[in-house]
């Protein structure tokens, strides 16, 4: 059988030769026909999608490759004001794993109004999200058959690069508000099979975010998918099963709250504030803000523990380290674990010539991180490419030159990560670790395991110099565990 679009092309050529649809336009017309017709789509004013499913834990799972940690999503409701281009998502997320914020369900309210993205906290206060979040959320708005096809029908949209006409018709759509997406149709039905767009991730660089649609059902003459599965590259980040869909219901006013709309969005990471505190001769806590580092002085070089968050933070930490000891080269950085917030500065550290020291189970990951393209937002390593040198830590790695000794051990059997390292200074009786126990924190689900690791290695710890929280006596950990046991 001749593909429908080909017949349509033929008839367009025969009967309207002067205004023949382009292959790109034909794909959009086919999609509109399959969904219920152009007029039906243009008559959509609002959509409400309700159901549940799961969210992934991208960048924060047990290993770089693992996908077992998910949040169960319940009470999912996405309201879209198609006429105004506004969206509001409400959902409740419950972790199916030991989560550092605790196991209680967490409600989220995420909104988009024009170029204003906002989040509403549990206290009802709306805060404006960053420019990057707004850009990602605007793309997400179009990851639905109705919004993408409706945008593509707009005369100001740009359609390009029709391909796969006989197999999987695909077309690139740049919407009137400047988002470029790829729409792919099911060849047999003409229904949108998936939508993808490119995005920038500070850790992964250029990524493709794709939403796959299936399980179409008829809702008031419109075909709507009941299953939406979203991936970042190959990792599933969301799976939704919709149980109730309403077309042109009352969605109320989805305008951004004034407090969010009037706020200035962050256009990048917060400026770094590095607060230096000497913990012992040759050991400095590079604190300030949420994620700290530790500088270690050897006889002829310096070693950093942790390149956290992003290049803004990590380059500032590296500069502070060089300022403290300008006559010794900073040659290496120890990474506590692979989680995105603790390794977001690794590429910046590589760009500064530092060797990366990390758990054996994360070597492949950091090798990949070092070579991934960052073309959408060239970062320090993209601007100053260098090959990465990565040194693995197995059961133990002792760095020692007579003037300084630090031993690196895996924190085994933690439910936080399988790439977890702690750093122990035997002479100073100092322990450095991230996330396992943060002095002053109210919740510490991984603290007992940290204590077991310290005991099994027979480490004699007097002080904690942590990646989160202030320098604290070891008793802060034992007191916390005792109070937990008492409750
Ligand atoms: Zn972590």
């Amino acid at each position: 059988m001749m593909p429908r679009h080909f017949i349509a092309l033929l008839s367009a050529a025969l009967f309207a030769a002067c205004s023949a649809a382009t292959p790109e336009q034909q794909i959009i017309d086919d999609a509109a026909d399959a969904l219920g017709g152009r007029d039906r789509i243009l008559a959509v004013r609002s959509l409400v999608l309700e159901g549940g499913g799961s969210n992934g834990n991208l960048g924060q799972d047990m290993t770089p490759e693992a996908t077992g940690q998910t949040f169960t999503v319940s009470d999912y409701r996405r309201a879209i004001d198609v006429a105004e281009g506004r969206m509001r998502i409400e959902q409740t997320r419950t972790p199916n794993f030991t989560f550092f914020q605790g196991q209680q369900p967490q409600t989220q309210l995420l909104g988009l109004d024009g170029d204003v993205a906002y989040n509403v906290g549990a206290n009802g206060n709306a805060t404006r999200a960053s420019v990057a979040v707004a850009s990602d959320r605007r793309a997400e708005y179009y990851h639905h058959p109705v919004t993408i096809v409706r945008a593509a029908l707009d005369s100001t949209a740009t359609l390009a690069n029709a391909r796969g006409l006989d197999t999987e018709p695909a077309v690139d759509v740049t919407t009137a508000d400047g988002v470029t997406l790829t729409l792919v149709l099911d060849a047999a039905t003409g229904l949108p099979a998936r939508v993808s767009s490119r995005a920038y991730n500070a850790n992964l660089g250029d990524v493709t975010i794709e939403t796959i649609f299936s399980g179409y059902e008829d809702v008031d003459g419109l075909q709507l998918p009941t299953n939406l599965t979203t991936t970042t590259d190959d990792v599933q980040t969301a799976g939704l099963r919709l149980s109730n869909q309403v077309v042109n219901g009352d969605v109320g006013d989805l305008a951004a709250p004034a407090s969010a709309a009037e706020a200035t969005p962050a256009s990048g990471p917060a400026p770094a504030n590095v607060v230096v505190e000497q913990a012992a001769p040759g050991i400095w806590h590079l604190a300030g803000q949420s994620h700290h580092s530790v500088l270690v002085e050897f006889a002829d070089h310096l070693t950093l523990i942790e390149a956290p968050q992003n290049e803004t933070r990590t380059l500032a930490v590296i500069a502070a380290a060089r300022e403290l000891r300008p006559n010794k080269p900073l040659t290496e950085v120890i990474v506590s674990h692979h989680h995105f917030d603790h390794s977001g500065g690794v590429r910046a550290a590589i760009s500064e010539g530092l060797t990366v020291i990390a758990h054996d189970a994360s070597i492949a990951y950091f090798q990949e991180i070092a070579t991934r393209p960052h073309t959408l937002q060239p970062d320090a390593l993209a601007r100053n490419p260098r090959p990465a040198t990565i040194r693995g830590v197995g059961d133990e790695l002792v760095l020692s030159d007579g003037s300084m000794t630090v031993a690196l051990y895996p924190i085994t059997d933690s439910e936080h990560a399988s790439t977890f390292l702690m750093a122990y200074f035997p002479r100073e009786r100092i322990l450095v670790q991230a996330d396992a126990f943060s002095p002053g924190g109210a919740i510490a689900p991984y603290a007992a395991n940290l204590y077991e690791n310290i005991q099994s290695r027979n480490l004699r710890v007097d002080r904690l110099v942590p990646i989160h929280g202030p320098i604290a006596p070891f008793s802060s950990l034992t007191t916390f565990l005792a109070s937990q046991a008492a409750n």
Side-chain angles (χ1 to χ4, degrees), residues 60 337 339 341-342 416-417 420 435:
Q60 307 294 116
H337 62 307
H339 284 173
D341 59 320
H342 288 272
H416 187 66
F420 225 0
D435 291 354

Side-chain angles (χ1 to χ4, degrees), residues 6 32 41 48 64 88 106 116 170 181 212 245 252 254 305 442 447 449 471:
F6 191 72
I41 290 170
V48 174
R88 189 173 292 183
Q106 153 194 63
V116 179
L181 308 106
I212 298 169
Q245 309 201 71
L254 300 185
I305 304 177
N449 168 265
I471 296 175

Side-chain angles (χ1 to χ4, degrees), residues 84-407:
E84 298 287 343
R86 293 168 176 160
M87 172 172 78
R88 189 173 292 183
I89 296 170
E90 294 169 72
Q91 64 177 18
T92 299
R93 305 199 325 169
T94 308
N96 79 351
F97 57 98
T98 303
F99 190 41
F100 73 97
Q101 293 180 359
Q103 302 308 113
Q104 71 286 355
Q106 153 194 63
T107 60
Q108 294 183 315
L109 199 162
L110 317 169
L112 179 70
D113 176 9
D115 60 0
V116 179
Y118 61 93
N119 304 323
V120 179
N123 57 9
N125 292 344
T127 52
R128 184 154 182 181
S130 68
V131 171
V133 168
S135 165
D136 289 349
R137 211 168 281 173
R138 175 54 64 189
E140 183 183 0
Y141 172 89
Y142 291 115
H143 279 225
H144 188 273
V146 170
T147 49
I148 178 73
V149 171
R150 190 182 157 107
L153 289 170
D154 189 306
S155 61
T156 59
T158 305
L159 308 179
N161 198 17
R163 53 204 185 269
L165 296 178
D166 294 322
T167 53
E168 278 198 311
V171 60
D172 296 338
V173 179
T174 300
T175 63
D177 57 359
V179 183
T180 297
L181 308 106
T182 298
L183 169 67
V184 180
L185 307 188
D186 181 293
T189 64
L191 288 165
R194 56 188 192 268
V195 169
S196 62
S197 50
R198 296 220 299 161
Y200 183 72
N201 177 294
N203 290 69
L204 300 175
D206 304 347
V207 293
T208 298
I209 297 178
E210 180 174 76
T211 303
I212 298 169
F213 311 115
S214 65
Y216 276 88
E217 64 176 3
D218 182 280
V219 181
D220 292 341
L222 204 57
Q223 291 294 314
L224 297 177
T226 54
N227 296 317
L228 291 82
T229 304
T230 301
T231 53
T232 293
D233 285 355
D234 293 330
V235 181
Q236 181 171 322
T237 53
L240 289 172
R241 182 176 290 271
L242 303 174
S243 50
N244 184 40
Q245 309 201 71
V246 181
V247 177
N248 292 342
D250 181 10
V251 293
D253 183 3
L254 300 185
S259 60
E262 289 159 9
T264 303
S267 58
N273 172 32
V274 181
V275 179
V276 177
E277 181 182 353
Q278 185 153 25
I283 304 173
W284 293 266
H285 200 212
L286 305 182
Q289 296 169 308
S290 62
H291 290 60
H292 308 152
S293 299
V294 175
L295 178 65
V296 187
E297 180 180 10
F298 289 86
D300 63 354
H301 69 278
L302 305 173
T303 297
L304 190 64
I305 304 177
E306 210 74 326
Q309 292 191 298
N310 50 54
E311 70 179 40
T312 301
R313 175 77 197 176
T314 290
L315 292 177
V317 165
I318 288 173
R322 288 174 173 156
E323 204 171 300
L324 277 167
R325 283 293 177 271
N327 298 322
K328 291 185 183 178
L330 176 61
T331 58
E332 55 196 5
V333 60
I334 296 158
V335 182
S336 68
H337 62 307
H338 74 281
H339 284 173
F340 276 3
D341 59 320
H342 288 272
S343 63
V346 164
R347 282 177 54 91
I350 294 168
S351 81
E352 292 292 315
L354 275 61
T355 291
V356 176
I357 300 175
H359 192 289
D360 274 345
S362 56
I363 293 176
Y365 170 71
F366 286 117
Q367 276 165 345
E368 190 200 340
I369 283 295
T371 55
R372 285 185 63 101
H374 284 241
T375 64
L376 297 175
Q377 285 182 42
D379 67 351
L381 188 56
R383 297 189 300 268
N384 181 25
R386 287 194 194 221
T389 305
I390 298 161
R391 186 173 178 192
V393 180
D395 183 57
E396 179 185 55
L397 177 65
V398 178
L399 306 173
S400 180
D401 68 357
S403 76
M404 175 61 70
T405 297
V406 55

Side-chain angles (χ1 to χ4, degrees), residues 12-31:
L14 286 172
F15 301 112
C18 56
S19 62
T22 62
E24 286 81 8
Q25 191 63 55
Q26 194 60 55
I27 291 172
I28 298 303
D29 290 348
D30 287 349

